[in-house]
Amino acid sequence: MPGSGRAELDAAGITDPGLRTAYAACRELNARHGRTYFLATRLLPARRRPAVHALYGFARYADEIVDDLSDGRPAAERAAALDALADDLAAALGGDPPTPPGDARAAVLAAVADTARRHDIDHRHFTDFIASMRMDTHVTGYARYADLAPYMHGSAAVIGLQMLPVLGTVTDRAQAEPHAAALGVAFQLTNFLRDVGDDLDRGRVYLPADELAAHGVDRDLLLWCRRRRARDPRVRAALAHLVARTRGVYRRAAPGIPMLEPVSRACIECAAALYGGILDRIADADYDAVLHRRVRVPTARRIAVAGPGLLRAGLARVGAAEPRTTLRTPSPGPGA
């Protein structure tokens, strides 16, 4: 276990050897697959990071069941795998130790269940997340933005709602929840735009069909451009419209950042800036290039954004007493 990982677990008061191994596995998933997200978590106080890694690790594990392009299982088998994961998660949230102990799946479940208990995270958020992942096994497109909204609630908004108890608020939590949910949706919409080509390879289009059609675009045109590495002004116009829509969601989320505890604000400011930077890169690539390559925020830009955030985070911690996390009795919920 890397030294920095040990320091985080020590700071969080996680002493059980099995749980420390489980959290370390989630941290590794975050570091390997969520580079932007992982960088932002470095701006949090050490004691808050393990919970974020656990939430990311569980989301990543479930997402891979439906999104791994190298997994040749039919949709019905993937759906069954999600059902099994949901059952195992419910058991873990209810206090049953996941088995087998050394398994990667068990590690993710143990860490996320411990995080849910420590931070009193509503079990419904996990239930809704699994429901959206299950949609990915049979839904291949969305006619309107309103049709996409239920999927985004479970796949994205609930991630923001799960994070909020970990980050802490200076206002009533209910006041901050709509903004936290909006930021999760903004991140998800950004991913849809960045990954439109990969999603086509999976047989899915998350971009609302009516908004594409308003610019003369449909699934067949997207596929034609993808397969021939072609560019098309209609696709550029449609994606530019959707980028502008996504920027509006970031603006709706922004008032929630000052509602967070001061020691958490730099992390979320950084994450929003870096994910918003993906939209800038899409625009710089003239939009429809995302059909052929995945745009990324350059390392230099990541450092430029994170550097001032580190300073702000350090200043926020000066004089801020960080109470030790206490293990709470789990509240009953649909996932329990």
Side-chain angles (χ1 to χ4, degrees):
M1 186 187 302
S4 57
R6 286 197 298 269
E8 291 171 1
L9 295 170
D10 291 344
I14 299 167
T15 58
D16 178 85
L19 277 178
R20 287 173 72 88
T21 300
Y23 275 103
C26 292
R27 186 180 190 275
E28 173 61 23
L29 279 173
N30 196 348
R32 188 187 322 133
H33 297 290
R35 293 187 301 171
T36 295
Y37 201 60
F38 185 78
L39 177 60
T41 65
R42 304 300 299 161
L43 304 181
L44 285 173
R47 64 169 288 273
R48 302 195 186 204
R49 295 175 203 159
V52 178
H53 298 322
L55 293 171
Y56 179 92
F58 175 75
R60 179 74 193 190
Y61 187 91
D63 189 64
E64 282 296 291
I65 293 175
V66 293
D67 275 354
D68 186 356
L69 286 169
S70 65
D71 188 339
R73 289 180 296 175
E77 289 188 21
R78 295 187 188 224
L82 282 172
D83 290 341
L85 181 66
D87 290 342
D88 289 347
L89 175 64
L93 290 171
D96 293 340
T99 55
D103 183 72
R105 170 199 184 92
V108 167
L109 289 171
V112 79
D114 184 67
T115 289
R117 287 192 288 272
R118 287 173 182 268
H119 297 279
D120 199 22
I121 298 172
D122 193 326
H123 294 180
R124 288 178 298 177
H125 299 328
F126 299 104
T127 303
D128 291 346
F129 176 77
I130 292 289
S132 284
M133 294 301 97
R134 195 176 287 112
M135 289 174 67
D136 276 336
T137 65
H138 64 276
V139 179
T140 60
Y142 296 87
R144 300 171 302 154
Y145 189 82
D147 300 320
L148 180 62
Y151 174 83
M152 289 193 298
H153 169 76
S155 67
V158 298
I159 304 299
L161 297 174
Q162 290 170 11
M163 284 282 293
L164 204 54
V166 177
L167 300 172
T169 60
V170 295
T171 65
D172 181 76
R173 189 187 298 175
Q175 185 180 354
E177 283 179 344
H179 303 291
L183 189 58
V185 169
F187 290 168
Q188 178 73 292
L189 289 170
T190 301
N191 287 340
F192 290 160
L193 289 161
R194 180 195 63 191
D195 300 338
V196 61
D198 288 342
D199 288 332
L200 280 168
D201 295 343
R202 298 182 180 101
R204 303 188 210 124
V205 176
Y206 292 103
L207 311 179
D210 63 338
E211 297 186 33
L212 292 175
H215 298 276
V217 178
D218 59 15
R219 180 189 293 258
D220 288 340
L221 178 59
L222 292 175
L223 284 168
W224 185 88
C225 291
R226 172 74 168 169
R227 290 166 179 167
R228 289 168 172 76
R229 301 191 64 81
R231 309 290 292 272
D232 190 288
R234 293 168 293 178
V235 176
R236 286 196 291 275
L239 294 181
H241 158 74
L242 292 168
V243 165
R245 169 198 272 281
T246 303
R247 293 192 194 279
V249 182
Y250 279 101
R251 288 193 292 272
R252 291 200 297 276
I257 295 179
M259 298 180 187
L260 299 175
E261 290 185 2
V263 293
S264 296
R265 290 174 194 165
C267 167
I268 303 306
E269 287 172 349
C270 178
L274 289 173
Y275 263 87
I278 294 172
L279 298 179
D280 295 334
R281 298 296 294 173
I282 292 171
D284 291 344
D286 208 11
Y287 299 101
D288 62 341
V290 293
L291 282 168
H292 315 301
R293 61 182 176 87
R294 188 175 191 180
V295 300
R296 300 183 185 277
V297 177
T299 300
R301 174 60 180 163
R302 292 170 190 261
I303 295 171
V305 170
L310 283 169
L311 177 60
R312 291 194 300 275
L315 292 173
R317 290 172 203 165
V318 174
E322 276 283 284
R324 196 179 192 84
T325 300
T326 56
L327 188 63
R328 301 185 182 184
T329 302
S331 56

